[in-house]
Amino acid sequence: IFLSSVFRTKRRTKTMMDHVDKCLENYKKICYSNGKESEIRKYRIIEVLYLFQDKEASKDSWDYIAMELNISKGTLSNDRKKAIKEISALIFGIDSLGIY
């Protein structure tokens, strides 16, 4: 019974992670297909902050990221919030809007 439960959990987790990966892939396509620098930047911020962290380059530093993207920390924060909201809508659908 225990092993059966572990395998169900593993399958469920894989299914959820596959969904998240597809949503991130779609978000990247949406941002890049638009062609606007601000849209591409939102994806790049998510990528640098959460997806491809290079520990040697201390990319977890907001100062470093803002400098690399040639933006202010305020713009970095605002774009990050917008991107997270958009990605949440892709992952969770209408539930992400908090309307019940």
Side-chain angles (χ1 to χ4, degrees):
I1 294 174
F2 175 74
L3 284 177
S4 176
S5 175
V6 169
F7 285 125
R8 268 196 317 272
T9 301
K10 184 178 176 181
R11 274 195 311 268
R12 192 175 309 131
T13 301
K14 181 173 179 356
T15 300
M16 287 188 284
M17 292 312 302
D18 287 346
H19 174 68
V20 169
D21 288 342
K22 285 178 187 173
C23 289
L24 287 170
E25 220 175 275
N26 287 336
Y27 186 66
K28 181 178 183 177
K29 287 177 187 174
I30 290 166
C31 290
Y32 277 85
S33 69
N34 187 305
K36 288 185 179 177
E37 182 182 329
S38 60
E39 294 297 312
I40 294 168
R41 186 177 62 228
K42 284 191 299 187
Y43 179 78
R44 288 284 300 130
I45 288 169
I46 295 300
E47 190 175 52
V48 172
L49 279 174
Y50 304 113
L51 303 178
F52 301 113
Q53 291 188 352
D54 180 358
K55 291 178 176 54
E56 290 178 22
S58 14
K59 290 193 184 229
D60 56 344
S61 163
W62 283 49
D63 291 321
Y64 177 82
I65 295 166
M67 184 184 70
E68 281 293 307
L69 297 175
N70 199 28
I71 57 174
S72 70
K73 286 198 298 187
T75 300
L76 174 63
S77 178
N78 290 336
D79 283 353
R80 182 187 70 88
K81 288 176 188 174
K82 289 176 190 173
I84 288 172
K85 190 173 184 176
E86 292 167 356
I87 292 168
S88 295
L90 291 173
I91 293 173
F92 301 110
I94 197 162
D95 287 340
S96 71
L97 299 176
I99 303 170
Y100 303 123

